[in-house]
Amino acid sequence: QVQLVESGGGLVQAGGSLRLSCAASGRMFSVTAMGWFRQTPGKEREFVAAITWSGGSTFHADSIQGRFTISRERAKNTLYLQMNSLTPDDTAVYSCAAGIRGYYSNYENPSAYEYWGQGTQVTVSS
């Protein structure tokens, strides 16, 4: 099992920045990739970014390209999402996820990840 706990969400004005963290624990030796997803009421979960846990290769959704950056600190088992130039459209619950697969055909698919955190609310005011 892998446990994930997000933090760093909150209320920010448009144009501001936030850094989300995801503290991971448990069988981290089995984790091969981690990602961030977001969801608003009535909508499907949306891919934000992913990173391979060992090599650090990153993948970002087109909608946040150039504004958000995913990173990880393996020594601390922590995943980050730096979010800059936030807009009200970025308002959502942000969740981190961990996958244990040996191969990913699509990092953007939520079903590729076995473990999920509870999420942290990000609200961007105009």
Side-chain angles (χ1 to χ4, degrees), residues 38 46-49 59-68 90 108:
R38 65 186 183 184
E46 177 189 8
F47 170 75
V48 176
F59 310 86
H60 294 84
D62 290 342
S63 61
I64 54 85
Q65 193 76 249
R67 298 190 299 122
F68 293 8
D90 296 316
E108 300 183 11

Side-chain angles (χ1 to χ4, degrees), residues 1-4 24-31 100 114-116:
Q1 293 287 331
V2 175
Q3 294 79 41
L4 305 172
S25 60
R27 299 170 62 89
M28 287 300 296
F29 63 85
S30 65
V31 172
I100 60 173
E114 285 77 17
Y115 303 102
W116 291 83

